[in-house]
Amino acid sequence: MRIQVLLGGGLALLTACASGKPPVLRVAQPAHLSDTASIHVHVDDTSPDRPRPKRRDVAPRWPSDATVAASAVVAAFVIGADGRAELPTVAFLESDDPAFERSVCAYLQVAEFVPGRVAGIYRRTLVVMPFRFAWAPATWREPDMPRYLALLRTTPRSELLGSLSGRRGCPREQPG
């Protein structure tokens, strides 16, 4: 059984096997959204300096306990200068089913990204990334990404990061 997952603003169409258990989440190094000075807020999906997945053949897995045939999860999170997602910063902005959130968390634990750059220097970068799960591409619902990007552009950084801190995110660790 195979599923399709569209990841990251339409940048890559990924295919992942629907079988197998997701990896156990390890505790990420402490990272805080309160450290606003070190976080660049990414809003331009056309920039060559944008953060993006390094590999297009790695995707979130279809959760075995999913209760719907299609789902969209929109997550805001910081990608470190090392290209790793900082799990304590994950905030779900939109989600249809907690099973898909867990799948996104497991993916973010192992995913590698090209980090964001500002003036040629890799920086911790806040991104908003959609994850779409569907048995057939015609069944998924398109998240309102222009609205989320507009919020990133117009909301003062400290207010934005503060509002994300109060949202549901990835657990610190997950039993194996």
Side-chain angles (χ1 to χ4, degrees), residues 24-107:
V24 174
L25 296 177
R26 65 175 166 74
V27 177
Q29 294 299 317
H32 303 284
L33 287 173
S34 60
D35 181 11
T36 61
S38 71
I39 299 173
H40 170 69
V41 178
H42 169 73
V43 295
D44 183 6
D45 277 341
T46 62
S47 166
D49 292 334
R50 73 189 182 283
R52 58 194 176 280
K54 270 190 181 179
R55 295 182 55 189
R56 295 175 187 253
D57 61 336
V58 177
R61 293 176 183 251
W62 187 273
S64 60
D65 57 341
T67 59
V68 295
S71 182
V73 175
V74 178
F77 58 96
V78 172
I79 296 173
D82 63 354
R84 304 296 298 214
E86 298 177 2
L87 287 185
T89 68
V90 174
F92 293 111
L93 305 177
E94 187 176 321
S95 177
D96 296 334
D97 186 331
F100 293 99
E101 291 176 9
R102 290 189 298 276
S103 177
V104 167
C105 290
Y107 164 75

Side-chain angles (χ1 to χ4, degrees), residues 103-126:
S103 177
V104 167
C105 290
Y107 164 75
L108 291 175
Q109 175 65 34
V110 298
E112 293 180 61
F113 296 87
V114 173
R117 289 186 305 191
V118 177
I121 299 171
Y122 292 121
R123 296 272 313 267
R124 290 178 72 213
T125 306
L126 176 69

